Structure formats: C-alpha cells, structure tokens
Amino acid sequence: KMKPLPRLASTSLLTSLAFTAAASGSSPAAFQPGAWEITRNVTGGPRATGPQTDRYCFTAAQLREDPAAPLKAPPMPRDGRQGPQCTMGPAKLAEGKASLNSSCKGPMGSMKAKWAGTYTATSFAMTGTMKMGFMSAKMTSTGRYLGACNGQ
C-alpha cells in the first residue's frame, strides 16, 4: 500500500473516476523511490475541475512490484468520499514515453480512459481522454519527486 502524505487540495468524483487505479507490474523501477507530489486536472467535459494535488511516499519495494506506481496512484479521499472502483491496465514504459488505459465503475456509470505522456526518474506528465457514455473529458496528471519521505 502507498503511504499517503498530507493532502493539499480537494477533488471531485470525476477526478476520482479518472485517476483511481490498482497497481500491477513486475519490471525494474522507472521512478525514484521517495516522496512524490502528483497534480491532476480535468480540463474539459461537463465536470471540469481545478488542479488537485496529493503527496505520496513510494518505497523501493513498491516500485519493484509496480514500476509505474506514481502514474497509477489513486487520489486521496476528499470530504469523506472514497472514489469509485477502478482498474488500470499495465503501463508501457520505454525511452521516456509512457502509456496506459484505465476503466472505472461508479455512481455516474462506467468510463474508460487512455493515457499517454513522458517520464523521467523524477517527473512525469500524462494526458488522458476519458469516455463515459456520450460524454468525454480531457485530463492531465503531472508528478514530481520531492526527496526522501518524512519519517524514513
């Protein structure tokens, strides 16, 4: 399990739908273990949100288990609400480029998203297109390495 650090902003159900995922994978770590700040934003569609930022602590063991864990980190619960049930497909990580697909089920129905972007050991920038019924939305997710986790 990821160790959450204090959260910085609130989020909407749509953002939870867009970014919640289960981790999977087994290749070498692509990202630096430690504290990460991840900002998500739904920039289009009927329920656009402002940026929402969370902090996470990823251990070396977590990154060995799933080298793409920072790309798949679910948003922290907001206002006592847990996000919908989502799964994230395996990430393709090669030569600084990343891609993956996600699917979620929640109170608003089912949705699928396709993600693509770039990464280094200490940062990433992903864009996604979400489809839910006749609606669609654009999303972004960026992450940056902050250093060692507090308390480690």
Side-chain angles (χ1 to χ4, degrees):
K1 289 277 183 186
M2 287 169 259
K3 298 176 187 174
L5 296 174
R7 66 180 184 259
L8 299 177
S10 64
T11 189
S12 70
L13 176 59
L14 184 59
T15 303
S16 294
L17 279 168
F19 297 104
T20 304
S24 66
S26 62
S27 53
F31 294 102
Q32 181 74 28
W36 280 76
E37 180 178 85
I38 298 174
T39 301
R40 303 163 180 93
N41 195 6
V42 177
T43 57
R47 302 200 33 161
T49 65
Q52 291 114 23
T53 302
D54 291 310
R55 288 189 178 188
Y56 301 84
C57 177
F58 296 100
T59 66
Q62 288 169 314
L63 292 170
R64 276 191 303 276
E65 185 178 323
D66 184 359
L71 300 179
K72 300 175 178 185
M76 301 293 175
R78 305 280 201 278
D79 303 321
R81 287 189 250 164
Q82 223 23 13
Q85 298 297 313
C86 297
T87 57
M88 188 75 78
K92 294 178 185 172
L93 301 172
E95 299 178 6
K97 297 192 185 290
S99 64
L100 50 99
N101 296 324
S102 63
S103 62
C104 299
K105 291 183 181 180
M108 296 173 58
S110 297
M111 78 96 196
K112 293 184 180 201
K114 293 184 183 234
W115 294 90
T118 59
Y119 73 94
T120 69
T122 58
S123 67
F124 68 84
M126 301 289 286
T127 57
T129 303
M130 178 186 72
K131 301 256 187 224
M132 186 166 61
F134 62 90
M135 298 183 294
S136 66
K138 299 282 185 192
M139 303 160 298
T140 61
S141 178
T142 59
R144 66 185 182 106
Y145 175 71
L146 300 174
C149 295
N150 292 336
Q152 290 191 354

